[in-house]
């Protein structure tokens, strides 16, 4: 099993629709660490770290998001491992 981190940006109607909280719940369900935060331009920025299969599962979920969200794009890149405990919203 390999551990990875991905950093990315989610665009669309993703603020004010419980996107960060839902991402936190999804990450915790998959035992993925990291964070999610709103950006001034309306996007949500995320960092996901954990076992590769779990991170990829959460990454796939980002394309859908919670029911009220309308995701128009997800851009992610693999970044160096960061030893983060838990998942937070910022």
């Amino acid at each position: 099993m390999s551990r990875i981190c991905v950093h990315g940006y989610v665009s669309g109607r993703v603020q004010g629709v419980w996107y960060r909280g839902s991402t936190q719940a999804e990450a915790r369900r998959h035992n993925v660490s990291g964070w999610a935060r709103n950006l001034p331009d309306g996007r949500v920025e995320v960092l996901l770290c954990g076992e590769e299969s779990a991170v990829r599962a959460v990454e796939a979920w980002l394309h859908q998001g919670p029911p009220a969200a309308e995701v128009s794009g997800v851009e992610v890149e693999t970044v160096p491992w960061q030893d983060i405990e838990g998942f937070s919203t910022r």
Side-chain angles (χ1 to χ4, degrees):
M1 291 192 265
S2 60
R3 299 185 308 172
I4 65 165
C5 289
V6 298
H7 175 254
Y9 300 94
V10 184
S11 55
R13 192 171 73 129
V14 292
Q15 290 189 14
V17 294
W18 197 247
Y19 195 93
R20 290 177 302 145
S22 296
T23 301
Q24 181 180 47
E26 190 70 14
R28 287 179 174 171
R29 188 168 78 83
H30 288 282
N31 201 29
V32 169
S33 299
W35 47 262
R37 68 177 169 192
N38 287 339
L39 295 175
D41 65 5
R43 296 179 299 165
V44 171
E45 181 180 16
V46 298
L47 178 70
L48 308 171
C49 298
E51 293 299 327
E52 184 172 12
S53 61
V55 168
R56 296 301 182 197
V58 178
E59 179 186 336
W61 178 89
L62 294 175
H63 292 267
Q64 174 186 346
E70 293 177 10
V71 177
S72 62
V74 177
E75 301 171 27
V76 296
E77 66 176 340
T78 303
V79 295
W81 175 257
Q82 297 180 44
D83 198 12
I84 299 173
E85 198 167 311
F87 195 96
S88 63
T89 58
R90 299 179 174 179

